[in-house]
Amino acid sequence: MTALTLTFVALILMLAGLVKGVTAMGLPTLGMGLLSLLMPPAEAAAILIAPTLLTNIVQFSTGPRVWPVLRRFWPMGLATFAGTLAGGAWLGGLGSHLAPAVLGGTLFAYGLLGLGRFGFHTPAAREPWLSPLMGLASGLLTGTTGVTVMPAAPYLQSLGLEREDLVQAMGLSFSMGSFGLIAALSTRDAPLTSWHALLVTLAALVPAFAGMEIGRRVRLAISQQAFRNCFFAGLALLGANTLVRALPL
């Protein structure tokens, strides 16, 4: 890579990390969309492996209620992991062309509904069986698109969680999706990384975490309503980005 390309990569990773810090999602989706303008998708995915996984782990583990969130949502996390393996093995993996368009359209529509203040609520009595089901569905989409957001994010938001509980629960779900995606990719013919790519992806942690920390501070400083607006605007923008990239030109 040239110095100019490396500068753009660092800025993209910082921007993607900032979006994740504010909205608790979006690093791999935004990162893939922008990095793919500079390099082949396989190289972009290799760069994003470490930042995606580790920022998800940090998002879950650094919050104030690690054990309560883990006790409540571990079945959903395990189902997400299993679903990701199934999606990668049985549904064509990241080579699927239909899933990104469906995912993008769903994200965009849900983001607009949220910004329009159309509320969704999941009764507590349904959570024990619905959480694993939503995790499995999220995993299937992760295995075919590389993105764990749907339907995990809207489902978790429908539970009426406090802001930091929501952020941690999404971090747990996304972490399990990332582990499952790495496992799924490792079983395929194409290697995940070369030594060169490994060094690049480790270096990518610095701007990604810097952006995430900036975004985290912004999230803690703004109001609940502003956070809600950022949350759903992030969903809509991520959906539009995914949908546009999935459409044939």
Side-chain angles (χ1 to χ4, degrees):
M1 294 185 187
T2 65
L4 181 60
T5 300
L6 286 173
T7 300
F8 278 123
V9 169
L11 291 174
I12 288 170
L13 288 166
M14 183 170 287
L15 176 62
L18 190 150
V19 170
K20 183 175 181 62
V22 174
T23 66
M25 71 188 88
L27 190 152
T29 305
L30 183 60
M32 279 293 295
L34 296 178
L35 287 176
S36 294
L37 299 175
L38 304 176
M39 62 190 69
E43 293 183 17
I47 290 175
L48 288 168
I49 287 174
T52 298
L53 176 60
L54 293 182
T55 53
N56 284 331
I57 292 174
V58 168
Q59 179 176 317
F60 165 66
S61 62
T62 57
R65 289 168 50 81
V66 172
W67 292 112
V69 170
L70 182 61
R71 284 195 299 268
R72 184 173 179 178
F73 293 109
W74 69 264
M76 181 177 178
L78 287 181
T80 301
F81 179 82
T84 304
L85 290 179
W90 298 336
L91 300 180
L94 297 179
S96 172
H97 299 292
L98 180 61
V102 174
L103 174 65
T106 305
L107 279 173
F108 184 67
Y110 183 78
L112 292 182
L113 287 174
L115 289 173
R117 300 186 182 181
F118 294 96
F120 299 91
H121 175 68
T122 298
R126 298 180 183 176
E127 187 178 332
W129 62 266
L130 196 53
S131 284
L133 184 61
M134 290 296 101
L136 181 63
S138 296
L140 290 173
L141 280 175
T142 302
T144 54
T145 67
V147 179
T148 319
V149 173
M150 287 293 288
Y155 166 71
L156 291 171
Q157 199 275 335
S158 75
L159 296 175
L161 301 171
E162 293 295 327
R163 176 168 56 183
E164 292 307 305
D165 284 358
L166 175 62
V167 169
Q168 283 187 266
M170 287 195 292
L172 175 61
S173 176
F174 298 165
S175 295
M176 297 306 293
S178 296
F179 279 120
L181 187 61
I182 290 174
L185 290 173
S186 298
T187 63
R188 304 184 75 86
D189 294 334
L192 278 175
T193 59
S194 63
W195 281 109
H196 175 264
L198 179 60
L199 292 175
V200 173
T201 195
L202 290 176
L205 293 173
V206 177
F209 271 101
M212 186 177 176
E213 177 60 20
I214 295 171
R216 185 188 68 84
R217 296 187 180 192
V218 170
R219 185 183 78 240
L220 294 175
I222 62 180
S223 67
Q224 287 278 353
Q225 186 57 48
F227 174 76
R228 175 185 170 86
N229 290 338
C230 287
F231 180 87
F232 285 111
L235 279 178
L237 290 173
L238 290 173
N241 174 68
T242 305
L243 184 59
V244 168
R245 289 193 293 113
L247 294 176
L249 300 178

